[in-house]
């Protein structure tokens, strides 16, 4: 191994110091930028009024078709 001259070691350490300082500053900026806005949901949906009133509606259910479908799916699973 060869020993480097003292001035080259100093200049290299100076360059590395600048690099690490820039990286630390970038890291701090990224951390600050990643903080989420926790009140965003309240800001976005807070002014809307939701209507949970029930409406009368008749839904016809075909039980015979449900039974046939269940029978067919069971038969298909066995096969």
């Amino acid at each position: 191994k060869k020993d480097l001259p003292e001035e080259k070691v100093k200049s290299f350490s100076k360059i590395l110091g600048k690099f690490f300082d820039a990286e630390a500053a970038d890291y701090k900026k990224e951390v600050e930028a990643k903080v989420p806005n926790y009140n965003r949901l309240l800001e976005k949906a807070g002014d809307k009024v939701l209507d949970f009133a029930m409406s009368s509606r008749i839904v016809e259910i075909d039980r015979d078709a449900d039974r046939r479908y269940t029978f067919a799916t069971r038969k298909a699973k066995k096969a």
Side-chain angles (χ1 to χ4, degrees):
K1 291 183 180 181
K2 294 182 182 179
D3 288 333
L4 293 174
E6 187 67 30
E7 61 188 40
K8 287 194 176 191
V9 172
K10 284 183 183 178
S11 66
F12 184 68
S13 64
K14 187 177 178 182
I15 291 170
L16 274 180
K18 287 182 182 179
F19 173 75
F20 285 125
D21 290 342
E23 286 295 314
D26 288 345
Y27 177 74
K28 288 178 185 175
K29 287 179 186 175
E30 286 178 13
V31 168
E32 290 172 2
K34 288 183 182 179
V35 175
N37 182 2
Y38 295 109
N39 293 326
R40 181 68 183 137
L41 185 61
L42 292 174
E43 292 168 1
K44 189 170 184 176
D47 57 348
K48 295 181 182 177
V49 178
L50 300 176
D51 181 23
F52 290 109
M54 299 181 96
S55 60
S56 60
R57 184 172 61 182
I58 298 172
V59 178
E60 195 173 312
I61 299 173
D62 189 356
R63 300 284 184 193
D64 191 39
D66 286 342
R67 288 187 195 100
R68 282 192 230 133
Y69 176 77
T70 305
F71 176 76
T73 53
R74 283 186 195 161
K75 197 171 184 179
K77 284 183 181 179
K78 287 181 182 179

